[in-house]
Amino acid sequence: MSGNVTFTIIKPDAVKSGHSGSIIKMIEKAGFKLLEMKLVSLTKEKASEFYEVHKEKPFYDRLCNYMSSGPIIVMKLSKNNAIEDFRKLIGSTNPQDAAEGTIRNLFATSIEANAIHGSDSDENAIIESDFFFNN
Ligand code: IDP
Ligand code: MG
């Protein structure tokens, strides 16, 4: 059982293609409450900072270019068992492996442009939401 808070990003591909409303609707329908929300654009530097844990990965540079390629919507959400339930709602990183009806299954176009981010631990949910909302 995880805690009550998670953090999410509707990524540039999903905002660009007009899927933000449908995604937010799915999030609310799944029982998550919006604690904070805003539309922002990341510089490549800010994107690199956010994804610093992946800096050794071969896809890091492309990922940072992609995440700074257009506006994103960041949200802090609450629900019991938030981390686990949200990861279930979004589906696997690679949309080809994402379960039927998950957000990535419906809206992701590739393993990189996969529509949405979800925190992977209680600790990271706080670090990631503070990155956008507490400074
Ligand atoms: P997650 O978002 O499901 O937690 P992570 O492994 O934390 O997946 O990767 C962070 C993000 O980096 C992914 O959501 C995706 O946008 C991108 N990414 C992950 N693996 C690859 C890859 O093999 N090629 C290109 N981009 C990737
Ligand atoms: Mg991750």
Side-chain angles (χ1 to χ4, degrees):
M1 189 90 176
S2 55
N4 296 333
V5 171
T6 192
F7 169 81
T8 184
I9 302 176
I10 302 178
K11 296 185 178 181
D13 58 304
V15 174
K16 226 171 261 172
S17 52
H19 292 134
S20 309
S22 306
I23 291 172
I24 292 167
K25 195 167 186 176
M26 285 179 72
I27 291 170
E28 291 188 316
K29 216 170 162 195
F32 292 87
K33 300 273 178 241
L34 302 176
L35 298 178
E36 308 253 22
M37 173 162 88
K38 66 181 172 186
L39 183 114
V40 289
S41 295
L42 291 177
T43 59
K44 186 170 178 186
E45 288 64 36
K46 271 294 210 192
S48 309
E49 206 184 308
F50 183 80
Y51 277 114
E52 202 170 358
V53 292
H54 292 303
K55 68 172 183 289
E56 306 303 333
K57 305 269 174 64
F59 58 80
Y60 180 63
D61 190 57
R62 277 185 54 117
L63 174 62
C64 298
N65 282 329
Y66 157 61
M67 287 302 292
S68 56
S69 66
I72 58 174
I73 295 173
V74 294
M75 289 176 267
K76 186 177 181 180
L77 304 168
S78 79
K79 182 187 181 298
N80 55 30
N81 203 33
I83 300 290
E84 285 169 30
D85 287 0
F86 197 77
R87 296 287 303 199
K88 220 171 276 168
L89 177 67
I90 71 177
S92 302
T93 309
N94 187 342
Q96 290 185 341
D97 304 327
E100 195 81 13
T102 58
I103 293 174
R104 283 169 167 167
N105 168 254
L106 293 169
F107 301 113
T109 52
S110 70
I111 190 170
E112 176 184 80
N114 61 0
I116 191 156
H117 167 84
S119 304
D120 61 9
S121 66
D122 291 339
E123 189 192 4
N124 284 337
I126 299 307
I127 292 170
E128 291 171 359
S129 57
D130 284 353
F131 185 89
F132 287 97
F133 296 114
N134 273 354
N135 49 51

